[in-house]
């Protein structure tokens, strides 16, 4: 079963999700990677506004390739989320609701997610063309000087993701291997 969500995301919606759930996201999401996260953290620490509202937002850790002629966006595969772990708790404190990436998160980020009621979604690395097929609009909204790492506002339709870490401490990077090992013992 696939759960359909639209942005902006609410704490009530996210509280129902559990690690392993399949979700289809529609609406506005943002791309941001390492350099953009550093700039966002600097702005927040200085009390300055960000180029987009964090409340209820979803950040996709991705740096898309250029679009082919007539295309909306190029391939848009996920970046390893752990690279953003240093700045993620601060963004969560300011309303970030969800993140999309690949790879496990640090214990500090998982704790900050629980406190904020946020979730971490995974998208399969290597399926960047599939992600691009779900993007209906794309525009750079901040830091064009960062090239592929500039912050983009994307409109997505039914972007398929899996809940990797939920609001109550569920972590598919722990429960998935444990379930597999248990199934092998039967």
């Amino acid at each position: 079963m696939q759960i359909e969500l639209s942005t902006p995301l609410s704490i009530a919606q996210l509280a129902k999700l559990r690690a392993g759930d399949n979700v289809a996201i529609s609406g506005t999401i943002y791309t941001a990677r390492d350099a953009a996260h550093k700039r966002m953290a600097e702005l927040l620490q200085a009390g300055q506004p960000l180029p987009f509202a964090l409340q209820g937002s979803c950040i996709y850790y991705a740096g898309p390739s250029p679009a082919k002629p007539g295309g909306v966006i190029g391939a848009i595969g996920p970046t390893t989320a752990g690279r953003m772990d240093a700045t993620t708790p601060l963004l969560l404190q300011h309303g970030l609701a969800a993140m999309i990436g690949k790879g496990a998160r640090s214990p500090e980020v998982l704790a900050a997610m629980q406190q904020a009621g946020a979730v971490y979604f995974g998208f399969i690395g290597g399926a960047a063309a599939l992600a691009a097929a779900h993007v209906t609009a794309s525009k750079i909204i901040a830091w064009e000087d960062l090239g592929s790492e500039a912050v983009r506002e994307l409109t997505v339709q039914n972007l398929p993701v899996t809940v990797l870490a939920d609001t109550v401490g569920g972590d598919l990077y722990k429960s998935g291997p444990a379930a597999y090992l248990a199934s092998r013992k039967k």
Side-chain angles (χ1 to χ4, degrees):
M1 178 177 116
Q2 190 171 56
I3 300 163
E4 295 183 3
L5 293 179
S6 295
T7 60
L9 302 167
S10 71
I11 289 175
Q13 288 174 309
L14 300 178
K16 296 175 185 175
L17 300 176
R18 293 295 173 261
D21 285 349
N22 293 313
V23 176
I25 300 175
S26 295
T28 300
I29 65 172
Y30 302 92
T31 64
R33 287 181 44 179
D34 315 46
H37 274 73
K38 183 178 183 224
R39 289 185 185 181
M40 287 189 287
E42 289 168 352
L43 286 174
L44 290 172
Q45 290 164 341
Q48 300 294 315
L50 295 183
F52 63 95
L54 274 178
Q55 194 64 46
S57 68
C58 179
I59 294 178
Y60 183 14
Y61 301 143
S65 62
K68 292 180 182 177
V72 174
I73 199 164
I76 183 166
T79 297
T80 301
R83 294 171 37 188
M84 274 51 73
D85 280 0
T87 55
T88 298
L90 178 63
L91 298 178
L92 290 167
Q93 290 170 9
H94 285 84
L96 178 62
M99 301 140 289
I100 303 170
K102 66 178 181 181
R105 304 308 299 263
S106 70
E108 295 79 15
V109 168
L110 293 172
M113 286 173 50
Q114 282 186 268
Q115 187 172 3
V119 299
Y120 170 47
F121 295 111
F123 191 83
I124 298 170
L130 173 63
H134 292 272
V135 177
T136 60
S138 171
K139 67 179 177 181
I140 293 175
I141 61 167
W143 307 312
E144 192 167 354
D145 62 302
L146 296 179
S148 68
E149 291 197 39
V151 175
R152 285 175 172 73
E153 179 182 276
L154 305 180
T155 304
V156 295
Q157 185 64 42
N158 296 319
L159 179 68
V161 294
T162 300
V163 178
L164 296 179
D166 61 36
T167 62
V168 295
D171 182 350
L172 199 57
Y173 280 100
K174 292 179 183 164
S175 63
Y180 172 77
L181 289 174
S183 74
R184 301 282 295 165
K185 291 179 182 177
K186 292 181 180 180

